[in-house]
Amino acid sequence: MSQSPGNPSQVMRGQGMMKGRKWMYALAGVVPLSLAVFIYAQLMLRFGSGTPPQMQPAAVRTDTIEVDKSEQRMVLYRNGQPLREYSIALGASPEGHKTEEGDERTPVGDYIIDWRNANSIAHLSLHISYPNAEDIQQAEQRGVSPGGNIMIHGMINGWGWLISRLGLRNWTDGCIAVSNDEMKEVWSLVANGTPIRIQE
């Protein structure tokens, strides 16, 4: 004797409940994972840089920095002689001078390293004195913000492994990035007030 298939509305209701349970199980897995990633990111952004290295003696520090954007190279000089050389990452649109906020370009011209941040979201950072008066004037004439916070820094705290795994070459918003170990060395060799020349 065959069994009745049951009320179609009850069958549909049962199928809907099963789908609802699947969504609940999925959310039960996603929510803790998302929370863990958020907590990890916040901790890394706040504490990931660790303790910065001590400055090298003045007699061995660099006195000039030169950046070649087309070669993606940064060289530290002392008394006209190369002291250190690094391969660098730039912004997603590296060609041309930075002219406004959000253009993801690295500025071109003569600036200085005017301050540093041991607790930045990237591994240590040295601030480049962009925008200067000329940069501000050209932006005001066009009614835009020139942008700012252009830094030399290491990897984003806690996520350097992902950047390396993905093979990203130009991943900053216009900053100049090196590896974390290289950034420690740059930090120790570059004093505030050091001139930096950035060219295409």
Side-chain angles (χ1 to χ4, degrees), residues 46-52 116-120 122-125 157 187:
R46 185 167 183 179
F47 303 111
S49 284
T51 303
R116 63 189 57 218
N117 185 358
N119 298 305
S120 62
H123 186 75
L124 307 173
S125 60
N157 289 329
W187 176 283

Side-chain angles (χ1 to χ4, degrees), residues 177-188:
V178 295
S179 73
N180 289 351
D181 287 341
E182 290 170 335
M183 190 59 218
K184 290 174 184 175
E185 183 175 62
V186 172
W187 176 283
S188 70

Side-chain angles (χ1 to χ4, degrees), residues 40-41 44-45 48-49 120-124 153-163 171-173 175 177-180:
Y40 172 77
M44 288 297 100
L45 292 179
S49 284
S120 62
I121 64 172
H123 186 75
L124 307 173
H153 61 64
M155 297 295 186
I156 300 298
N157 289 329
W159 300 103
W161 61 272
L162 181 60
I163 294 171
W171 54 269
T172 78
D173 287 333
C175 294
V178 295
S179 73
N180 289 351

Side-chain angles (χ1 to χ4, degrees), residues 92-167:
S93 301
E95 295 182 2
H97 178 54
K98 183 172 187 64
T99 57
E100 61 184 82
E101 185 174 5
D103 62 11
E104 297 189 326
R105 291 175 178 168
T106 304
V108 175
D110 293 325
Y111 299 92
I112 63 169
I113 302 301
D114 55 358
W115 53 269
R116 63 189 57 218
N117 185 358
N119 298 305
S120 62
I121 64 172
H123 186 75
L124 307 173
S125 60
L126 304 177
H127 184 258
I128 298 170
S129 61
Y130 173 90
N132 58 26
E134 184 178 345
D135 297 320
I136 294 171
Q137 182 180 31
Q138 66 81 23
E140 288 179 344
Q141 289 173 347
R142 296 185 298 116
V144 299
S145 167
N149 283 329
I150 302 299
M151 321 287 283
I152 303 172
H153 61 64
M155 297 295 186
I156 300 298
N157 289 329
W159 300 103
W161 61 272
L162 181 60
I163 294 171
S164 299
R165 178 69 63 86
L166 294 176

Side-chain angles (χ1 to χ4, degrees), residues 22-98:
K22 289 181 180 179
W23 275 107
M24 290 177 63
Y25 294 148
L27 286 174
V30 169
V31 170
L33 178 61
S34 299
L35 182 60
V37 170
F38 176 78
I39 293 172
Y40 172 77
Q42 294 304 308
L43 289 173
M44 288 297 100
L45 292 179
R46 185 167 183 179
F47 303 111
S49 284
T51 303
Q54 291 186 342
M55 295 294 296
Q56 292 291 331
V60 299
R61 295 177 198 162
T62 182
D63 53 31
T64 308
I65 304 171
E66 290 190 3
V67 175
D68 188 318
K69 292 170 57 175
S70 62
E71 297 290 335
Q72 297 205 236
R73 182 178 66 237
M74 179 173 71
V75 183
L76 309 187
Y77 288 89
R78 178 167 181 80
N79 297 327
Q81 298 299 314
L83 184 64
R84 297 288 191 278
E85 182 174 321
Y86 309 95
S87 295
I88 58 175
L90 300 169
S93 301
E95 295 182 2
H97 178 54
K98 183 172 187 64

